[in-house]
Amino acid sequence: MIDPIALSLGPIKIHWYGVIMGLAFFLGTYLARYNAKRAGIDPDHVLNMVVLIIPAAIICARLYYVIFEWEQYKDNLFDVIAVWKGGLAIHGGLIGGFLAGAWYVRKHNLPFLKLGDVLIPSVILGQAIGRWGNFINQEAHGGPATEEFMSHFPAFIREQMYIGGQYYHPTFLYESLWNLVVFAILMVMLYRLKRFDGQVLFSYMILYSLGRFFIEGMRTDSLMLGHTLRVAQLVSLSLIAVGVVLLLVYARKSRQQSDHSQQSSE
């Protein structure tokens, strides 16, 4: 088992979870600045937004998780702020980050959809990296797996997924790999296939949510509504539906504008 504490400096303990999340934020910010510059957007706006988005995302991710797991925290309120133990809900983080980013974009009159296309590859890259924090904390795993099945994975993953005398599916890994695939698709789309603003953002909503829906069904620690409804699956289905509608609507607008431009030039 991997020690969740990366470094101890007297009473100060630095957790691997925090190190991994810090790496995700750093790489995501670097990539977003690069993409912004390529898109003709002042990269300083990215740094200004990150100052708002990161704390908003962390706070909302934690609140989202705590709300659905209130029975676990109501008798020990100190644990509400113990984010180093895990318990950050990605959908909550997306809500917080979106609200903070939208406020900044509106205040500075920036192109919302164009900036969304620039930033969203950083989001999915950060999610891919962040899932390894769940690996360290032995959380967000799936149901029991056989030793034969787990033999296909590297030893360090097998050992970390051996919990209480039982192997468990490394669903953190499944989602991390899926997110990397989505990241690659979005980057190709951003630089090669983009036809209209919002295309990359809406595609993220669909592709990420598609993988999350199926992987969530394998997990044993899902946030629940009642005893049968998994919150993440409901949110994923909603994001897929909204993403498909927006993608179709804006694709149609783009075609109409293109046709109008061609007619005007004839």
Side-chain angles (χ1 to χ4, degrees):
M1 176 181 172
I2 299 174
D3 189 341
I5 298 175
L7 181 64
S8 294
L9 300 173
I12 300 174
K13 299 183 185 301
I14 300 175
H15 291 249
W16 277 114
Y17 192 89
V19 172
I20 291 170
M21 295 303 295
L23 176 64
F25 287 132
F26 174 79
L27 292 179
T29 301
Y30 181 86
L31 176 65
R33 282 176 55 82
Y34 175 81
N35 287 339
K37 189 174 182 179
R38 288 284 301 265
I41 298 173
D42 185 352
D44 285 343
H45 280 303
V46 173
L47 287 181
N48 294 336
M49 291 180 71
V50 164
V51 172
L52 298 173
I53 288 175
I54 289 180
I58 293 174
I59 291 171
C60 288
R62 186 58 171 175
L63 288 177
Y64 188 100
Y65 184 86
V66 169
I67 287 171
F68 285 102
E69 291 288 319
W70 181 242
E71 290 297 319
Q72 176 183 339
Y73 295 98
K74 67 178 183 178
D75 296 324
N76 191 358
L77 295 181
F78 176 77
D79 275 355
V80 170
I81 63 172
V83 295
W84 54 87
K85 296 181 180 180
L88 295 177
I90 288 177
H91 284 133
L94 292 175
I95 293 171
F98 172 82
L99 292 176
W103 177 85
Y104 183 90
V105 166
R106 182 171 182 178
K107 180 181 179 181
H108 294 275
N109 196 29
L110 298 173
F112 180 82
L113 292 179
K114 184 177 182 180
L115 194 56
D117 287 345
V118 164
L119 295 179
I120 208 64
S122 294
V123 173
I124 193 67
L125 177 62
Q127 289 175 256
I129 296 171
R131 277 301 177 199
W132 287 87
N134 299 136
F135 166 68
I136 298 295
N137 284 355
Q138 295 182 310
E139 60 185 3
H141 58 71
T146 64
E147 183 176 359
E148 179 182 4
F149 177 80
M150 293 301 295
S151 67
H152 297 94
F153 295 91
F156 76 99
I157 291 180
R158 291 200 307 272
E159 293 169 4
Q160 193 70 357
M161 288 294 99
Y162 190 71
I163 306 169
Q166 172 67 57
Y167 286 109
Y168 290 91
H169 279 278
T171 46
F172 84 91
L173 177 63
Y174 306 160
E175 186 169 334
S176 181
L177 293 176
W178 173 252
N179 290 346
L180 287 175
V181 170
V182 175
F183 167 72
I185 293 172
L186 296 185
M187 287 297 291
V188 170
M189 187 177 294
L190 181 64
Y191 287 106
R192 299 289 184 181
L193 304 175
K194 183 177 173 179
R195 297 293 180 266
F196 55 89
D197 289 340
Q199 181 179 346
V200 183
L201 176 61
F202 305 149
S203 297
Y204 161 83
M205 295 168 63
I206 298 167
L207 293 174
Y208 165 66
S209 299
L210 184 64
R212 179 63 187 272
F213 177 84
F214 287 105
I215 295 170
E216 188 68 23
M218 302 176 64
R219 286 175 53 173
T220 59
D221 61 345
S222 298
L223 300 178
M224 306 293 291
L225 275 178
H227 298 290
T228 57
L229 298 177
R230 297 174 187 260
V231 176
Q233 288 188 316
L234 292 175
V235 174
S236 294
L237 288 176
S238 300
L239 287 175
I240 291 171
V242 173
V244 168
V245 170
L246 291 174
L247 194 64
L248 293 175
V249 168
Y250 277 84
R252 182 179 180 184
K253 286 184 178 180
S254 177
R255 287 195 298 269
Q256 290 175 342
Q257 291 173 352
S258 178
D259 292 343
H260 180 72
S261 298
Q262 290 178 357
Q263 292 173 0
S264 298
S265 63
E266 291 177 355

